[in-house]
Short mmCIF file of all heavy atoms in Angstrom, two decimals:
data_model
loop_
_atom_site.label_atom_id
_atom_site.label_comp_id
_atom_site.label_asym_id
_atom_site.label_seq_id
_atom_site.Cartn_x
_atom_site.Cartn_y
_atom_site.Cartn_z
N ASP U 1 0.83 -1.21 0.00
CA ASP U 1 0.00 0.00 0.00
C ASP U 1 0.86 1.26 0.00
O ASP U 1 0.56 2.24 -0.70
CB ASP U 1 -0.91 0.01 1.22
CG ASP U 1 -1.95 -1.10 1.15
OD1 ASP U 1 -2.27 -1.52 0.02
OD2 ASP U 1 -2.43 -1.55 2.21
N LEU U 2 1.91 1.25 0.80
CA LEU U 2 2.77 2.43 0.89
C LEU U 2 3.89 2.42 -0.14
O LEU U 2 4.53 3.45 -0.37
CB LEU U 2 3.38 2.53 2.29
CG LEU U 2 2.38 2.74 3.44
CD1 LEU U 2 3.10 2.78 4.77
CD2 LEU U 2 1.60 4.03 3.24
N GLY U 3 4.18 1.25 -0.73
CA GLY U 3 5.24 1.17 -1.72
C GLY U 3 6.62 1.34 -1.13
O GLY U 3 7.46 2.04 -1.71
N ILE U 4 6.88 0.71 0.01
CA ILE U 4 8.17 0.83 0.67
C ILE U 4 8.55 -0.54 1.22
O ILE U 4 7.69 -1.33 1.61
CB ILE U 4 8.12 1.87 1.81
CG1 ILE U 4 9.51 2.07 2.40
CG2 ILE U 4 7.13 1.48 2.88
CD1 ILE U 4 9.58 3.19 3.41
N ALA U 5 9.83 -0.84 1.20
CA ALA U 5 10.34 -2.12 1.69
C ALA U 5 11.42 -1.87 2.73
O ALA U 5 12.22 -0.93 2.60
CB ALA U 5 10.92 -2.95 0.54
N LEU U 6 11.42 -2.69 3.77
CA LEU U 6 12.43 -2.63 4.81
C LEU U 6 13.33 -3.85 4.67
O LEU U 6 12.86 -4.99 4.67
CB LEU U 6 11.78 -2.62 6.20
CG LEU U 6 12.74 -2.60 7.39
CD1 LEU U 6 13.55 -1.31 7.40
CD2 LEU U 6 11.97 -2.76 8.70
N VAL U 7 14.63 -3.63 4.53
CA VAL U 7 15.62 -4.70 4.33
C VAL U 7 16.50 -4.77 5.58
O VAL U 7 17.00 -3.74 6.05
CB VAL U 7 16.49 -4.43 3.08
CG1 VAL U 7 17.48 -5.57 2.86
CG2 VAL U 7 15.61 -4.25 1.85
N ALA U 8 16.66 -5.97 6.12
CA ALA U 8 17.45 -6.18 7.34
C ALA U 8 18.55 -7.19 7.07
O ALA U 8 18.31 -8.24 6.46
CB ALA U 8 16.56 -6.65 8.48
N ARG U 9 19.77 -6.91 7.55
CA ARG U 9 20.90 -7.84 7.48
C ARG U 9 21.41 -8.06 8.89
O ARG U 9 21.66 -7.11 9.63
CB ARG U 9 22.02 -7.27 6.61
CG ARG U 9 21.64 -7.00 5.18
CD ARG U 9 22.88 -6.74 4.32
NE ARG U 9 23.76 -5.73 4.90
CZ ARG U 9 23.62 -4.43 4.70
NH1 ARG U 9 22.61 -3.99 3.96
NH2 ARG U 9 24.45 -3.58 5.24
N TRP U 10 21.51 -9.36 9.27
CA TRP U 10 22.02 -9.70 10.62
C TRP U 10 23.54 -9.78 10.55
O TRP U 10 24.11 -10.61 9.82
CB TRP U 10 21.44 -11.03 11.07
CG TRP U 10 20.09 -10.89 11.72
CD1 TRP U 10 19.84 -10.82 13.02
CD2 TRP U 10 18.83 -10.80 11.06
NE1 TRP U 10 18.49 -10.69 13.26
CE2 TRP U 10 17.83 -10.67 12.06
CE3 TRP U 10 18.41 -10.79 9.72
CZ2 TRP U 10 16.49 -10.57 11.77
CZ3 TRP U 10 17.06 -10.67 9.44
CH2 TRP U 10 16.11 -10.56 10.45
N GLU U 11 24.22 -8.91 11.28
CA GLU U 11 25.67 -8.90 11.32
C GLU U 11 26.12 -8.74 12.76
O GLU U 11 25.67 -7.82 13.45
CB GLU U 11 26.24 -7.77 10.46
CG GLU U 11 25.91 -7.89 8.97
CD GLU U 11 26.57 -6.78 8.16
OE1 GLU U 11 27.51 -6.16 8.70
OE2 GLU U 11 26.16 -6.56 7.01
N GLU U 12 26.98 -9.60 13.20
CA GLU U 12 27.49 -9.54 14.56
C GLU U 12 28.36 -8.29 14.73
O GLU U 12 29.22 -7.99 13.89
CB GLU U 12 28.30 -10.80 14.87
CG GLU U 12 28.60 -11.01 16.34
CD GLU U 12 27.34 -11.35 17.12
OE1 GLU U 12 26.42 -11.95 16.51
OE2 GLU U 12 27.29 -11.03 18.32
N GLY U 13 28.12 -7.59 15.82
CA GLY U 13 28.91 -6.39 16.09
C GLY U 13 28.38 -5.13 15.43
O GLY U 13 28.92 -4.05 15.65
N ARG U 14 27.35 -5.26 14.59
CA ARG U 14 26.76 -4.09 13.94
C ARG U 14 25.42 -3.75 14.60
O ARG U 14 24.81 -4.60 15.25
CB ARG U 14 26.53 -4.35 12.44
CG ARG U 14 27.79 -4.55 11.63
CD ARG U 14 28.52 -3.22 11.46
NE ARG U 14 27.70 -2.25 10.78
CZ ARG U 14 27.56 -2.15 9.45
NH1 ARG U 14 28.22 -2.99 8.66
NH2 ARG U 14 26.80 -1.22 8.91
N SER U 15 24.96 -2.55 14.42
CA SER U 15 23.66 -2.13 14.94
C SER U 15 23.18 -0.95 14.11
O SER U 15 23.92 -0.38 13.31
CB SER U 15 23.77 -1.73 16.42
OG SER U 15 24.64 -0.63 16.57
N THR U 16 21.91 -0.62 14.32
CA THR U 16 21.29 0.50 13.63
C THR U 16 20.69 1.44 14.67
O THR U 16 19.92 1.00 15.53
CB THR U 16 20.18 0.03 12.67
OG1 THR U 16 20.75 -0.84 11.70
CG2 THR U 16 19.53 1.23 11.96
N VAL U 17 21.05 2.70 14.59
CA VAL U 17 20.54 3.72 15.51
C VAL U 17 19.78 4.75 14.69
O VAL U 17 20.36 5.38 13.79
CB VAL U 17 21.67 4.39 16.31
CG1 VAL U 17 21.08 5.47 17.24
CG2 VAL U 17 22.43 3.36 17.13
N VAL U 18 18.51 4.92 15.00
CA VAL U 18 17.65 5.89 14.33
C VAL U 18 17.16 6.87 15.40
O VAL U 18 16.62 6.45 16.43
CB VAL U 18 16.45 5.21 13.63
CG1 VAL U 18 15.59 6.26 12.93
CG2 VAL U 18 16.93 4.17 12.65
N SER U 19 17.32 8.14 15.17
CA SER U 19 16.90 9.15 16.15
C SER U 19 15.86 10.06 15.54
O SER U 19 15.76 10.21 14.32
CB SER U 19 18.12 9.97 16.62
OG SER U 19 18.72 10.63 15.52
N TRP U 20 15.08 10.66 16.41
CA TRP U 20 14.08 11.65 16.03
C TRP U 20 13.96 12.65 17.17
O TRP U 20 14.55 12.45 18.23
CB TRP U 20 12.73 10.98 15.73
CG TRP U 20 12.12 10.31 16.92
CD1 TRP U 20 11.22 10.81 17.79
CD2 TRP U 20 12.41 8.98 17.40
NE1 TRP U 20 10.91 9.92 18.77
CE2 TRP U 20 11.63 8.77 18.55
CE3 TRP U 20 13.24 7.94 16.98
CZ2 TRP U 20 11.66 7.59 19.27
CZ3 TRP U 20 13.26 6.76 17.70
CH2 TRP U 20 12.48 6.59 18.82
N GLU U 21 13.22 13.67 16.94
CA GLU U 21 13.05 14.70 17.97
C GLU U 21 12.30 14.10 19.15
O GLU U 21 11.14 13.76 19.06
CB GLU U 21 12.28 15.90 17.42
CG GLU U 21 12.16 17.03 18.43
CD GLU U 21 11.40 18.22 17.89
OE1 GLU U 21 11.01 18.15 16.71
OE2 GLU U 21 11.20 19.19 18.63
N GLY U 22 12.99 13.96 20.27
CA GLY U 22 12.36 13.41 21.45
C GLY U 22 12.82 12.02 21.82
O GLY U 22 12.40 11.50 22.85
N GLY U 23 13.69 11.37 21.03
CA GLY U 23 14.14 10.03 21.39
C GLY U 23 14.95 9.39 20.28
O GLY U 23 15.24 10.00 19.25
N SER U 24 15.33 8.13 20.52
CA SER U 24 16.10 7.37 19.54
C SER U 24 15.83 5.89 19.76
O SER U 24 15.39 5.47 20.83
CB SER U 24 17.60 7.68 19.67
OG SER U 24 18.07 7.29 20.95
N ALA U 25 16.07 5.09 18.71
CA ALA U 25 15.87 3.64 18.76
C ALA U 25 17.17 2.95 18.38
O ALA U 25 17.85 3.37 17.43
CB ALA U 25 14.74 3.21 17.83
N HIS U 26 17.55 1.92 19.13
CA HIS U 26 18.78 1.17 18.91
C HIS U 26 18.42 -0.29 18.60
O HIS U 26 17.86 -0.98 19.46
CB HIS U 26 19.68 1.24 20.15
CG HIS U 26 21.01 0.58 19.96
ND1 HIS U 26 22.17 1.30 19.70
CD2 HIS U 26 21.38 -0.72 19.97
CE1 HIS U 26 23.18 0.45 19.59
NE2 HIS U 26 22.72 -0.77 19.74
N VAL U 27 18.68 -0.72 17.40
CA VAL U 27 18.39 -2.11 16.97
C VAL U 27 19.73 -2.85 16.91
O VAL U 27 20.56 -2.57 16.04
CB VAL U 27 17.67 -2.13 15.62
CG1 VAL U 27 17.27 -3.55 15.26
CG2 VAL U 27 16.45 -1.23 15.65
N ASP U 28 19.94 -3.80 17.82
CA ASP U 28 21.22 -4.47 17.95
C ASP U 28 21.34 -5.60 16.93
O ASP U 28 20.37 -6.30 16.60
CB ASP U 28 21.36 -5.03 19.37
CG ASP U 28 22.78 -5.43 19.68
OD1 ASP U 28 23.70 -4.91 19.02
OD2 ASP U 28 22.99 -6.24 20.60
N LYS U 29 22.56 -5.77 16.42
CA LYS U 29 22.92 -6.87 15.51
C LYS U 29 22.14 -6.85 14.21
O LYS U 29 22.00 -7.87 13.55
CB LYS U 29 22.74 -8.22 16.20
CG LYS U 29 23.61 -8.41 17.43
CD LYS U 29 23.38 -9.78 18.06
CE LYS U 29 24.22 -9.96 19.32
NZ LYS U 29 24.00 -11.27 19.95
N MET U 30 21.61 -5.72 13.80
CA MET U 30 20.86 -5.62 12.55
C MET U 30 21.25 -4.34 11.83
O MET U 30 21.41 -3.29 12.46
CB MET U 30 19.35 -5.64 12.80
CG MET U 30 18.81 -6.94 13.35
SD MET U 30 17.02 -6.86 13.64
CE MET U 30 16.45 -6.62 11.96
N VAL U 31 21.38 -4.43 10.52
CA VAL U 31 21.64 -3.28 9.67
C VAL U 31 20.39 -3.08 8.82
O VAL U 31 20.02 -3.94 8.02
CB VAL U 31 22.88 -3.48 8.78
CG1 VAL U 31 23.08 -2.25 7.90
CG2 VAL U 31 24.10 -3.74 9.64
N LEU U 32 19.71 -1.97 9.01
CA LEU U 32 18.43 -1.72 8.36
C LEU U 32 18.58 -0.68 7.26
O LEU U 32 19.35 0.27 7.38
CB LEU U 32 17.41 -1.22 9.38
CG LEU U 32 17.09 -2.15 10.55
CD1 LEU U 32 16.13 -1.47 11.51
CD2 LEU U 32 16.52 -3.46 10.06
N SER U 33 17.80 -0.89 6.19
CA SER U 33 17.72 0.08 5.11
C SER U 33 16.34 -0.01 4.49
O SER U 33 15.63 -1.00 4.67
CB SER U 33 18.80 -0.20 4.05
OG SER U 33 18.63 -1.50 3.49
N VAL U 34 15.96 1.04 3.78
CA VAL U 34 14.67 1.07 3.10
C VAL U 34 14.90 1.33 1.63
O VAL U 34 15.89 1.94 1.22
CB VAL U 34 13.75 2.16 3.70
CG1 VAL U 34 13.36 1.81 5.11
CG2 VAL U 34 14.41 3.51 3.65
N CYS U 35 13.94 0.82 0.81
CA CYS U 35 13.99 1.02 -0.62
C CYS U 35 12.58 0.94 -1.17
O CYS U 35 11.68 0.46 -0.50
CB CYS U 35 14.90 -0.02 -1.29
SG CYS U 35 14.38 -1.71 -0.94
N PRO U 36 12.37 1.42 -2.38
CA PRO U 36 11.03 1.32 -2.95
C PRO U 36 10.63 -0.14 -3.14
O PRO U 36 11.46 -1.01 -3.42
CB PRO U 36 11.14 2.05 -4.28
CG PRO U 36 12.35 2.91 -4.14
CD PRO U 36 13.29 2.18 -3.25
N GLY U 37 9.36 -0.43 -2.94
CA GLY U 37 8.88 -1.80 -3.11
C GLY U 37 7.49 -1.78 -3.70
O GLY U 37 6.79 -0.77 -3.71
N PRO U 38 7.01 -2.96 -4.21
CA PRO U 38 7.78 -4.19 -4.37
C PRO U 38 8.71 -4.12 -5.59
O PRO U 38 8.54 -3.28 -6.44
CB PRO U 38 6.70 -5.24 -4.56
CG PRO U 38 5.58 -4.49 -5.22
CD PRO U 38 5.60 -3.11 -4.64
N GLY U 39 9.71 -5.02 -5.64
CA GLY U 39 10.66 -5.07 -6.75
C GLY U 39 11.79 -6.01 -6.45
O GLY U 39 11.81 -6.69 -5.43
N ASP U 40 12.79 -6.05 -7.31
CA ASP U 40 13.93 -6.93 -7.14
C ASP U 40 15.04 -6.20 -6.40
O ASP U 40 15.45 -5.12 -6.80
CB ASP U 40 14.44 -7.37 -8.51
CG ASP U 40 15.56 -8.38 -8.39
OD1 ASP U 40 15.70 -8.94 -7.29
OD2 ASP U 40 16.28 -8.58 -9.36
N HIS U 41 15.50 -6.76 -5.29
CA HIS U 41 16.53 -6.11 -4.46
C HIS U 41 17.68 -7.10 -4.29
O HIS U 41 17.61 -8.02 -3.49
CB HIS U 41 15.97 -5.70 -3.10
CG HIS U 41 14.78 -4.80 -3.22
ND1 HIS U 41 14.88 -3.46 -3.47
CD2 HIS U 41 13.45 -5.08 -3.15
CE1 HIS U 41 13.67 -2.91 -3.52
NE2 HIS U 41 12.79 -3.90 -3.34
#
C-alpha cells in the first residue's frame, strides 16, 4: 500500500541507531535500510 520495503541484514557487532526529535531507537545486531517496493533487491 505504501510502496516501501524494509531490508534487514544480521551482522554480529553491527547495529542501527535511528533518532528523532524526542528520542532514539537502537536495533542491535541488525543493519536496516529502506527502498522502494515491491521489486527486485
Side-chain angles (χ1 to χ4, degrees):
D1 293 335
L2 297 178
I4 185 173
L6 178 64
V7 182
R9 299 193 309 274
W10 274 263
E11 297 184 17
E12 194 69 29
R14 295 287 300 277
S15 62
T16 300
V17 179
V18 181
S19 60
W20 64 94
E21 184 180 358
S24 62
H26 185 101
V27 185
D28 194 22
K29 299 180 182 179
M30 294 179 64
V31 179
L32 300 177
S33 60
V34 293
C35 57
D40 184 17
H41 303 280

